Amino acid sequence: MSAEAADREAATSSRPCTPPQTSWFEFLLEEQLLEQHLRKPSPDPPPVQLIVQFLEQASKPSVNEQNQVQPPPDNKRNRILKLLALKVAAHLKWDLDVLEKSLSVPVLNMLLNELLCISKVPPGTKHVDVDLSSIPPTTAMAILLYNRWAIRTIVKSSFPVKQVKPGPPQLNVMNQMQQEKELTENILKVLKEQAADSILVLEGALKLNKDLYVHTIRTLDLLAMEPGMVNGETESSTAGLKISAEEIQCQVCYDLGAIYFQQGATNAALHENAKEKFFKTRELIAKIGSSSLHCTIDEERLAGYCQACGVLTSSDDDASQQATPYSQIDNCLKTGNYQDLVKIFLEDNLALSLPVQFRQSVQRELFQNALQGNDALEEVCFKICVCNTVRDILQGEIIDVQFCLLFLKPNKEKIDFLLEACSRSINLENASESLKRKMASFLKNLCLGLEDLQLVFMISSHDLFIKLLKDDERKLLIDEMRKRSPRINLCTKPVTSFYDIPASASVNIGQLEHQLILSVDPWRIRQILIELHGMTSERQFWTVSNKWEVPNVYGNVILGIKDNLTRDLVYILMAKGLHCSAIKDFVHAKQLFAACLELVTEFSPKLRQVMLNEMLLLDIYTHEAGPGANGERPPSDLISRVRGYLEMRVPDIPLRQVIAEECVAFLLNWRENEYLTMQVPLPLVQTNPYVKLGQLLAATCKELPGPKESRRTAKDLWEVVVQICSVSNQHKRGNDGRVSLIKHRESTLGIMYRSELLSFIKKLREPLVLTTILSLFVKLHNVREDIVNDITAEYISIWPSSIPNLQSVDFEAVAVTVKELVNYALTINPNNHFWLIIQADIYFATNQYSAALHYYLQAGAICSDFFNKMVPPDVFTDQVIKRMIKCCSLLNCHTQVAILCQFLREVDYKTAFKALQEQNSHDAMDSYYEYIWDVTILEYLTYLHHKRGETDKRQIAIKAIGQTELNASNPEEVLQLAAQRRKKKFLQAMAKLYF
């Protein structure tokens, strides 16, 4: 070793582990000691904490000289931070179990997006469109990791979350938690929208059947080098950590099974898919072994899934189904055959096949039903509880509180069954000494706890008791019982036993909180809260359930109420009312809101107005879901209340934006255009963006079709929407061109965000309003300079033809909006042929020709009674026909091209002849000749087949041309009728092919 090197090593070894006044984060960043830190046996801070710190620092927004907040800069420091986070995850071998346990959803979303970016996943490309077999293995593995995480996150979000008891309220902590909660909900919303694509990606991964590689610290270092130094090794088939095909399939099968099982709650057929995936997972685990380094499956949970699928899925073999304890228990509960249910539980005390958690869940369900007034279940509840208690005793568990409560008043029948359960739960010939001692100890303690000597004698004289306890033990117990006898007889007050001690206050509070969560009766909620506050004054009972959510604008006012009981009652009534409204339980929502209104009227005018506003929104929802869905106009009183809300000028009233949004949508849906155009107050238009947008939409619809000089409002509406879809310079795309999954910022140049505009439009149902806004976005899409294929729409001519500053418009967002609007419009009316043409044009512009033909033909079929009538010329225009021709040509259906050329106003012989010359056609070819009515095309076919020596096909063409109705000497009406009949048959044949 050289002297210089030795000096360096000595300096490094003498360097303190953490420099003074320097965080671990800065130390690792500056000194590049990450790998050395990760190799420690117990690194402090732990790796997952480093990921959070690195990503938080990399995503910090910057502030410019004008004090304006800007997105995080794409500089060298932030790129290093992201790379360090990826290295830590690579050190953890990208184990999703570890990452999900310690990282929040937003942090893990950011981490996996960075992995996609560094793995060269094409930006803006849907994962479902990527061929995993044709891309580098590390890129394919990145896509699989992201989509597995997406599915797992959706499944986990459906599980109940245990409520964390909050400490003293701190405003900054609450705001931070609320922001993280909202961000998580936004990510979940996007993941759920893309769930179908993620499932398709994972299903496609099962067909790969090849090993893949995931990035390691070394490959990440190589990727961070100059681009010219990367292409060789990092994209080869052997770079990175190898994950075998069996391990990949095992993980993917398990995740797919979990999502199918979750979706089976609304679609029972998916339980079959879940069963298939879980059983395949079990087979793969048996093949690769449970000790696999890269495939960690919770085998207990997998067994539970398999058992649940066995119950939920039907089987052709009834005998095998009946042999499953789960199916038998499910059948007993459904049919009320409780005698067999008790028998199954007793038999399982020997077999030990049912998990303890499952047995307890059955017990809880029975007790819940008994509490709801089913007295016949009391005896069954006792017997099931005894069975579970005996099982617990044999496994060394403590006795359940419920059993103690049921034995507060023991009697002969209870002792009889208890002894029967004990006898049938242990096989004395084969049982171990440990099991015998546990059972003997239980029976002995039971005798000591009983005051009635007759009951004690029943136990001590039982055959099981005699066999389990030795002679001297039995004599000692009997002597002790006899010594207790005189005291018991002489005492005026019985000695209190352990079982006479009443349940503790915490148990009672827990039971009342459980009832509070379940109840939707305002009077019962009030009674429960009075009881709870009588037990303790230290608790905030509005925090009992994490499902009780009240908007922040209301929460600040409600939590300011000084009286604790009133505060809890108002908060819970409003939260439950909002929840019932969200799940469309409008009856209970109205009862809860009415009770809350009555309560707050006494002390708070501000909250009184809040409740009146919420009841107005509830009435709108109720009408739209009920009579409004059948086309019945709302009562005049409701319309007046909606107008009154929009014109309300009460100061300091907390308002939810969604109420104004729903009110404006309500007026537009019921064609209150006169009010929105002429009567709405001007200050309201200037202050409320939804009212302004509603006024412009109403005025534009009112003037349609209208002369050009009356389209000033259309121009105003155009300018407002263009402004909403524009982006400022500070929100430019990053240098790497990557589009993140969730945009954290949208343009603030317009009166609202684009997402808010889209949300508002999706509340509209009036066809004219939808057509107007849809045509606006189509026109905005078409003004793009690099557009190749225009999209057609009704009323498209009313909008301006150009935009002064094209660069400011986010055309990618516009294209996405057009697709979403068309899809939404078709859910409102799937038979609107103009909307179907727009959908077809979108598919045509994106090179999806089969789908485009489907929607073109569907539009024509709807307005012509499945082509039994003539398709209107404004539906099958020359442009539509030409696009259908191009679709058929690109699908290699050349005979269809030639036939469609006849549909044009002027037959396109050049295209038709060129298509017929193609010999590699994917359609029915000569069987379509009967649909050709143009004699020139038929003559060309005859010549073509003669030239090729195709005698059979030539005869078919001659037969078609020889039909009398195609004779050129026929009257024009006969020729048109012949053409129309062939059009009908051809289009019907096409529809059957593409529908």
Side-chain angles (χ1 to χ4, degrees), residues 49 91 98 107 146 155 282 343 430 697 776 863 867 976 987 990:
Q49 188 178 338
H91 170 74
V98 175
V107 172
Y146 178 84
V155 172
R282 198 160 61 180
K343 182 181 176 183
N430 301 323
L697 271 169
L776 187 155
C863 57
F867 305 113
Q976 287 182 1
L987 291 172
M990 287 276 285

mmCIF file with all atom_site columns, all heavy atoms in Angstrom, residues 49 91 98 107 146 155 282 343 430 697 776 863 867 976 987 990:
data_model
loop_
_atom_site.group_PDB
_atom_site.id
_atom_site.type_symbol
_atom_site.label_atom_id
_atom_site.label_alt_id
_atom_site.label_comp_id
_atom_site.label_asym_id
_atom_site.label_entity_id
_atom_site.label_seq_id
_atom_site.pdbx_PDB_ins_code
_atom_site.Cartn_x
_atom_site.Cartn_y
_atom_site.Cartn_z
_atom_site.occupancy
_atom_site.B_iso_or_equiv
_atom_site.pdbx_formal_charge
_atom_site.auth_seq_id
_atom_site.auth_comp_id
_atom_site.auth_asym_id
_atom_site.auth_atom_id
_atom_site.pdbx_PDB_model_num
ATOM 1   N N   . GLN A 1 49  ? -36.319 4.302   6.479   1.00 0.00 ? 49  GLN A N   1
ATOM 2   C CA  . GLN A 1 49  ? -36.349 5.701   6.893   1.00 0.00 ? 49  GLN A CA  1
ATOM 3   C C   . GLN A 1 49  ? -35.503 6.553   5.960   1.00 0.00 ? 49  GLN A C   1
ATOM 4   O O   . GLN A 1 49  ? -35.833 7.714   5.685   1.00 0.00 ? 49  GLN A O   1
ATOM 5   C CB  . GLN A 1 49  ? -35.878 5.818   8.339   1.00 0.00 ? 49  GLN A CB  1
ATOM 6   C CG  . GLN A 1 49  ? -36.051 7.225   8.924   1.00 0.00 ? 49  GLN A CG  1
ATOM 7   C CD  . GLN A 1 49  ? -35.609 7.290   10.367  1.00 0.00 ? 49  GLN A CD  1
ATOM 8   O OE1 . GLN A 1 49  ? -35.547 6.287   11.053  1.00 0.00 ? 49  GLN A OE1 1
ATOM 9   N NE2 . GLN A 1 49  ? -35.281 8.476   10.828  1.00 0.00 ? 49  GLN A NE2 1
ATOM 10  N N   . HIS A 1 91  ? -31.226 -2.547  -2.128  1.00 0.00 ? 91  HIS A N   1
ATOM 11  C CA  . HIS A 1 91  ? -30.613 -3.281  -1.019  1.00 0.00 ? 91  HIS A CA  1
ATOM 12  C C   . HIS A 1 91  ? -31.643 -4.174  -0.330  1.00 0.00 ? 91  HIS A C   1
ATOM 13  O O   . HIS A 1 91  ? -31.318 -5.278  0.128   1.00 0.00 ? 91  HIS A O   1
ATOM 14  C CB  . HIS A 1 91  ? -30.020 -2.293  -0.015  1.00 0.00 ? 91  HIS A CB  1
ATOM 15  C CG  . HIS A 1 91  ? -29.586 -2.916  1.276   1.00 0.00 ? 91  HIS A CG  1
ATOM 16  N ND1 . HIS A 1 91  ? -28.445 -3.687  1.398   1.00 0.00 ? 91  HIS A ND1 1
ATOM 17  C CD2 . HIS A 1 91  ? -30.167 -2.890  2.512   1.00 0.00 ? 91  HIS A CD2 1
ATOM 18  C CE1 . HIS A 1 91  ? -28.344 -4.109  2.645   1.00 0.00 ? 91  HIS A CE1 1
ATOM 19  N NE2 . HIS A 1 91  ? -29.370 -3.647  3.343   1.00 0.00 ? 91  HIS A NE2 1
ATOM 20  N N   . VAL A 1 98  ? -41.820 -5.675  2.801   1.00 0.00 ? 98  VAL A N   1
ATOM 21  C CA  . VAL A 1 98  ? -41.035 -4.785  3.666   1.00 0.00 ? 98  VAL A CA  1
ATOM 22  C C   . VAL A 1 98  ? -41.355 -3.327  3.356   1.00 0.00 ? 98  VAL A C   1
ATOM 23  O O   . VAL A 1 98  ? -41.577 -2.507  4.254   1.00 0.00 ? 98  VAL A O   1
ATOM 24  C CB  . VAL A 1 98  ? -39.526 -5.057  3.485   1.00 0.00 ? 98  VAL A CB  1
ATOM 25  C CG1 . VAL A 1 98  ? -38.699 -4.052  4.276   1.00 0.00 ? 98  VAL A CG1 1
ATOM 26  C CG2 . VAL A 1 98  ? -39.199 -6.473  3.901   1.00 0.00 ? 98  VAL A CG2 1
ATOM 27  N N   . VAL A 1 107 ? -45.301 7.839   -0.663  1.00 0.00 ? 107 VAL A N   1
ATOM 28  C CA  . VAL A 1 107 ? -43.843 7.653   -0.775  1.00 0.00 ? 107 VAL A CA  1
ATOM 29  C C   . VAL A 1 107 ? -43.536 6.464   -1.676  1.00 0.00 ? 107 VAL A C   1
ATOM 30  O O   . VAL A 1 107 ? -42.668 6.539   -2.561  1.00 0.00 ? 107 VAL A O   1
ATOM 31  C CB  . VAL A 1 107 ? -43.219 7.463   0.621   1.00 0.00 ? 107 VAL A CB  1
ATOM 32  C CG1 . VAL A 1 107 ? -41.748 7.085   0.498   1.00 0.00 ? 107 VAL A CG1 1
ATOM 33  C CG2 . VAL A 1 107 ? -43.356 8.729   1.438   1.00 0.00 ? 107 VAL A CG2 1
ATOM 34  N N   . TYR A 1 146 ? -44.537 -2.362  -10.250 1.00 0.00 ? 146 TYR A N   1
ATOM 35  C CA  . TYR A 1 146 ? -45.496 -1.264  -10.084 1.00 0.00 ? 146 TYR A CA  1
ATOM 36  C C   . TYR A 1 146 ? -46.931 -1.791  -10.086 1.00 0.00 ? 146 TYR A C   1
ATOM 37  O O   . TYR A 1 146 ? -47.751 -1.426  -9.233  1.00 0.00 ? 146 TYR A O   1
ATOM 38  C CB  . TYR A 1 146 ? -45.314 -0.225  -11.201 1.00 0.00 ? 146 TYR A CB  1
ATOM 39  C CG  . TYR A 1 146 ? -46.316 0.899   -11.079 1.00 0.00 ? 146 TYR A CG  1
ATOM 40  C CD1 . TYR A 1 146 ? -46.069 1.973   -10.247 1.00 0.00 ? 146 TYR A CD1 1
ATOM 41  C CD2 . TYR A 1 146 ? -47.531 0.848   -11.740 1.00 0.00 ? 146 TYR A CD2 1
ATOM 42  C CE1 . TYR A 1 146 ? -46.996 2.973   -10.086 1.00 0.00 ? 146 TYR A CE1 1
ATOM 43  C CE2 . TYR A 1 146 ? -48.468 1.843   -11.597 1.00 0.00 ? 146 TYR A CE2 1
ATOM 44  C CZ  . TYR A 1 146 ? -48.197 2.914   -10.775 1.00 0.00 ? 146 TYR A CZ  1
ATOM 45  O OH  . TYR A 1 146 ? -49.139 3.903   -10.607 1.00 0.00 ? 146 TYR A OH  1
ATOM 46  N N   . VAL A 1 155 ? -56.288 -3.796  -2.777  1.00 0.00 ? 155 VAL A N   1
ATOM 47  C CA  . VAL A 1 155 ? -56.816 -4.833  -1.884  1.00 0.00 ? 155 VAL A CA  1
ATOM 48  C C   . VAL A 1 155 ? -56.703 -4.390  -0.433  1.00 0.00 ? 155 VAL A C   1
ATOM 49  O O   . VAL A 1 155 ? -57.647 -4.510  0.352   1.00 0.00 ? 155 VAL A O   1
ATOM 50  C CB  . VAL A 1 155 ? -56.071 -6.164  -2.113  1.00 0.00 ? 155 VAL A CB  1
ATOM 51  C CG1 . VAL A 1 155 ? -56.469 -7.194  -1.063  1.00 0.00 ? 155 VAL A CG1 1
ATOM 52  C CG2 . VAL A 1 155 ? -56.363 -6.705  -3.505  1.00 0.00 ? 155 VAL A CG2 1
ATOM 53  N N   . ARG A 1 282 ? -50.380 -22.175 -4.548  1.00 0.00 ? 282 ARG A N   1
ATOM 54  C CA  . ARG A 1 282 ? -50.036 -23.257 -3.633  1.00 0.00 ? 282 ARG A CA  1
ATOM 55  C C   . ARG A 1 282 ? -49.160 -24.308 -4.320  1.00 0.00 ? 282 ARG A C   1
ATOM 56  O O   . ARG A 1 282 ? -48.198 -24.822 -3.745  1.00 0.00 ? 282 ARG A O   1
ATOM 57  C CB  . ARG A 1 282 ? -51.325 -23.895 -3.103  1.00 0.00 ? 282 ARG A CB  1
ATOM 58  C CG  . ARG A 1 282 ? -51.143 -24.713 -1.849  1.00 0.00 ? 282 ARG A CG  1
ATOM 59  C CD  . ARG A 1 282 ? -52.448 -24.916 -1.111  1.00 0.00 ? 282 ARG A CD  1
ATOM 60  N NE  . ARG A 1 282 ? -53.408 -25.630 -1.941  1.00 0.00 ? 282 ARG A NE  1
ATOM 61  C CZ  . ARG A 1 282 ? -54.642 -25.940 -1.547  1.00 0.00 ? 282 ARG A CZ  1
ATOM 62  N NH1 . ARG A 1 282 ? -55.039 -25.578 -0.341  1.00 0.00 ? 282 ARG A NH1 1
ATOM 63  N NH2 . ARG A 1 282 ? -55.465 -26.586 -2.336  1.00 0.00 ? 282 ARG A NH2 1
ATOM 64  N N   . LYS A 1 343 ? -72.654 -29.569 16.696  1.00 0.00 ? 343 LYS A N   1
ATOM 65  C CA  . LYS A 1 343 ? -71.997 -30.858 16.475  1.00 0.00 ? 343 LYS A CA  1
ATOM 66  C C   . LYS A 1 343 ? -70.676 -30.692 15.723  1.00 0.00 ? 343 LYS A C   1
ATOM 67  O O   . LYS A 1 343 ? -69.661 -31.319 16.068  1.00 0.00 ? 343 LYS A O   1
ATOM 68  C CB  . LYS A 1 343 ? -72.945 -31.767 15.695  1.00 0.00 ? 343 LYS A CB  1
ATOM 69  C CG  . LYS A 1 343 ? -72.397 -33.156 15.429  1.00 0.00 ? 343 LYS A CG  1
ATOM 70  C CD  . LYS A 1 343 ? -73.400 -33.984 14.623  1.00 0.00 ? 343 LYS A CD  1
ATOM 71  C CE  . LYS A 1 343 ? -72.815 -35.361 14.268  1.00 0.00 ? 343 LYS A CE  1
ATOM 72  N NZ  . LYS A 1 343 ? -73.749 -36.145 13.430  1.00 0.00 ? 343 LYS A NZ  1
ATOM 73  N N   . ASN A 1 430 ? -55.494 -41.470 23.630  1.00 0.00 ? 430 ASN A N   1
ATOM 74  C CA  . ASN A 1 430 ? -54.378 -40.959 22.811  1.00 0.00 ? 430 ASN A CA  1
ATOM 75  C C   . ASN A 1 430 ? -53.868 -39.595 23.274  1.00 0.00 ? 430 ASN A C   1
ATOM 76  O O   . ASN A 1 430 ? -52.869 -39.103 22.744  1.00 0.00 ? 430 ASN A O   1
ATOM 77  C CB  . ASN A 1 430 ? -54.805 -40.862 21.347  1.00 0.00 ? 430 ASN A CB  1
ATOM 78  C CG  . ASN A 1 430 ? -55.244 -42.202 20.786  1.00 0.00 ? 430 ASN A CG  1
ATOM 79  O OD1 . ASN A 1 430 ? -54.670 -43.235 21.130  1.00 0.00 ? 430 ASN A OD1 1
ATOM 80  N ND2 . ASN A 1 430 ? -56.261 -42.194 19.930  1.00 0.00 ? 430 ASN A ND2 1
ATOM 81  N N   . LEU A 1 697 ? -72.540 28.243  -20.597 1.00 0.00 ? 697 LEU A N   1
ATOM 82  C CA  . LEU A 1 697 ? -73.100 27.048  -21.232 1.00 0.00 ? 697 LEU A CA  1
ATOM 83  C C   . LEU A 1 697 ? -74.575 27.245  -21.577 1.00 0.00 ? 697 LEU A C   1
ATOM 84  O O   . LEU A 1 697 ? -75.027 26.887  -22.665 1.00 0.00 ? 697 LEU A O   1
ATOM 85  C CB  . LEU A 1 697 ? -72.947 25.847  -20.292 1.00 0.00 ? 697 LEU A CB  1
ATOM 86  C CG  . LEU A 1 697 ? -71.657 25.045  -20.387 1.00 0.00 ? 697 LEU A CG  1
ATOM 87  C CD1 . LEU A 1 697 ? -71.538 24.068  -19.227 1.00 0.00 ? 697 LEU A CD1 1
ATOM 88  C CD2 . LEU A 1 697 ? -71.577 24.292  -21.713 1.00 0.00 ? 697 LEU A CD2 1
ATOM 89  N N   . LEU A 1 776 ? -66.938 21.550  -28.102 1.00 0.00 ? 776 LEU A N   1
ATOM 90  C CA  . LEU A 1 776 ? -65.888 22.542  -27.790 1.00 0.00 ? 776 LEU A CA  1
ATOM 91  C C   . LEU A 1 776 ? -64.536 21.854  -27.619 1.00 0.00 ? 776 LEU A C   1
ATOM 92  O O   . LEU A 1 776 ? -63.529 22.278  -28.198 1.00 0.00 ? 776 LEU A O   1
ATOM 93  C CB  . LEU A 1 776 ? -66.283 23.314  -26.527 1.00 0.00 ? 776 LEU A CB  1
ATOM 94  C CG  . LEU A 1 776 ? -65.403 24.519  -26.133 1.00 0.00 ? 776 LEU A CG  1
ATOM 95  C CD1 . LEU A 1 776 ? -66.214 25.498  -25.300 1.00 0.00 ? 776 LEU A CD1 1
ATOM 96  C CD2 . LEU A 1 776 ? -64.165 24.121  -25.355 1.00 0.00 ? 776 LEU A CD2 1
ATOM 97  N N   . CYS A 1 863 ? -79.445 4.561   -36.063 1.00 0.00 ? 863 CYS A N   1
ATOM 98  C CA  . CYS A 1 863 ? -80.346 5.519   -36.711 1.00 0.00 ? 863 CYS A CA  1
ATOM 99  C C   . CYS A 1 863 ? -80.988 4.947   -37.985 1.00 0.00 ? 863 CYS A C   1
ATOM 100 O O   . CYS A 1 863 ? -81.595 5.690   -38.762 1.00 0.00 ? 863 CYS A O   1
ATOM 101 C CB  . CYS A 1 863 ? -79.602 6.816   -37.036 1.00 0.00 ? 863 CYS A CB  1
ATOM 102 S SG  . CYS A 1 863 ? -78.161 6.609   -38.074 1.00 0.00 ? 863 CYS A SG  1
ATOM 103 N N   . PHE A 1 867 ? -80.011 -1.009  -40.127 1.00 0.00 ? 867 PHE A N   1
ATOM 104 C CA  . PHE A 1 867 ? -79.814 -0.894  -41.571 1.00 0.00 ? 867 PHE A CA  1
ATOM 105 C C   . PHE A 1 867 ? -81.035 -1.337  -42.378 1.00 0.00 ? 867 PHE A C   1
ATOM 106 O O   . PHE A 1 867 ? -80.925 -1.518  -43.589 1.00 0.00 ? 867 PHE A O   1
ATOM 107 C CB  . PHE A 1 867 ? -78.563 -1.682  -42.018 1.00 0.00 ? 867 PHE A CB  1
ATOM 108 C CG  . PHE A 1 867 ? -77.314 -1.298  -41.280 1.00 0.00 ? 867 PHE A CG  1
ATOM 109 C CD1 . PHE A 1 867 ? -76.692 -2.189  -40.418 1.00 0.00 ? 867 PHE A CD1 1
ATOM 110 C CD2 . PHE A 1 867 ? -76.761 -0.029  -41.425 1.00 0.00 ? 867 PHE A CD2 1
ATOM 111 C CE1 . PHE A 1 867 ? -75.552 -1.839  -39.727 1.00 0.00 ? 867 PHE A CE1 1
ATOM 112 C CE2 . PHE A 1 867 ? -75.616 0.329   -40.732 1.00 0.00 ? 867 PHE A CE2 1
ATOM 113 C CZ  . PHE A 1 867 ? -75.012 -0.587  -39.874 1.00 0.00 ? 867 PHE A CZ  1
ATOM 114 N N   . GLN A 1 976 ? -81.740 2.118   -57.905 1.00 0.00 ? 976 GLN A N   1
ATOM 115 C CA  . GLN A 1 976 ? -81.527 2.596   -56.532 1.00 0.00 ? 976 GLN A CA  1
ATOM 116 C C   . GLN A 1 976 ? -82.004 1.569   -55.515 1.00 0.00 ? 976 GLN A C   1
ATOM 117 O O   . GLN A 1 976 ? -81.362 1.351   -54.473 1.00 0.00 ? 976 GLN A O   1
ATOM 118 C CB  . GLN A 1 976 ? -82.258 3.925   -56.319 1.00 0.00 ? 976 GLN A CB  1
ATOM 119 C CG  . GLN A 1 976 ? -81.594 5.100   -57.019 1.00 0.00 ? 976 GLN A CG  1
ATOM 120 C CD  . GLN A 1 976 ? -82.304 6.412   -56.747 1.00 0.00 ? 976 GLN A CD  1
ATOM 121 O OE1 . GLN A 1 976 ? -83.288 6.451   -56.015 1.00 0.00 ? 976 GLN A OE1 1
ATOM 122 N NE2 . GLN A 1 976 ? -81.820 7.493   -57.361 1.00 0.00 ? 976 GLN A NE2 1
ATOM 123 N N   . LEU A 1 987 ? -74.027 -4.082  -44.896 1.00 0.00 ? 987 LEU A N   1
ATOM 124 C CA  . LEU A 1 987 ? -73.805 -3.447  -43.602 1.00 0.00 ? 987 LEU A CA  1
ATOM 125 C C   . LEU A 1 987 ? -74.221 -4.365  -42.454 1.00 0.00 ? 987 LEU A C   1
ATOM 126 O O   . LEU A 1 987 ? -73.589 -4.384  -41.392 1.00 0.00 ? 987 LEU A O   1
ATOM 127 C CB  . LEU A 1 987 ? -74.565 -2.121  -43.524 1.00 0.00 ? 987 LEU A CB  1
ATOM 128 C CG  . LEU A 1 987 ? -74.010 -1.018  -44.443 1.00 0.00 ? 987 LEU A CG  1
ATOM 129 C CD1 . LEU A 1 987 ? -74.931 0.194   -44.446 1.00 0.00 ? 987 LEU A CD1 1
ATOM 130 C CD2 . LEU A 1 987 ? -72.605 -0.602  -43.990 1.00 0.00 ? 987 LEU A CD2 1
ATOM 131 N N   . MET A 1 990 ? -71.409 -6.749  -42.064 1.00 0.00 ? 990 MET A N   1
ATOM 132 C CA  . MET A 1 990 ? -70.285 -6.067  -41.399 1.00 0.00 ? 990 MET A CA  1
ATOM 133 C C   . MET A 1 990 ? -70.544 -5.930  -39.895 1.00 0.00 ? 990 MET A C   1
ATOM 134 O O   . MET A 1 990 ? -69.639 -6.119  -39.069 1.00 0.00 ? 990 MET A O   1
ATOM 135 C CB  . MET A 1 990 ? -70.085 -4.681  -42.020 1.00 0.00 ? 990 MET A CB  1
ATOM 136 C CG  . MET A 1 990 ? -69.477 -4.692  -43.406 1.00 0.00 ? 990 MET A CG  1
ATOM 137 S SD  . MET A 1 990 ? -67.666 -4.782  -43.346 1.00 0.00 ? 990 MET A SD  1
ATOM 138 C CE  . MET A 1 990 ? -67.285 -3.112  -42.874 1.00 0.00 ? 990 MET A CE  1
#
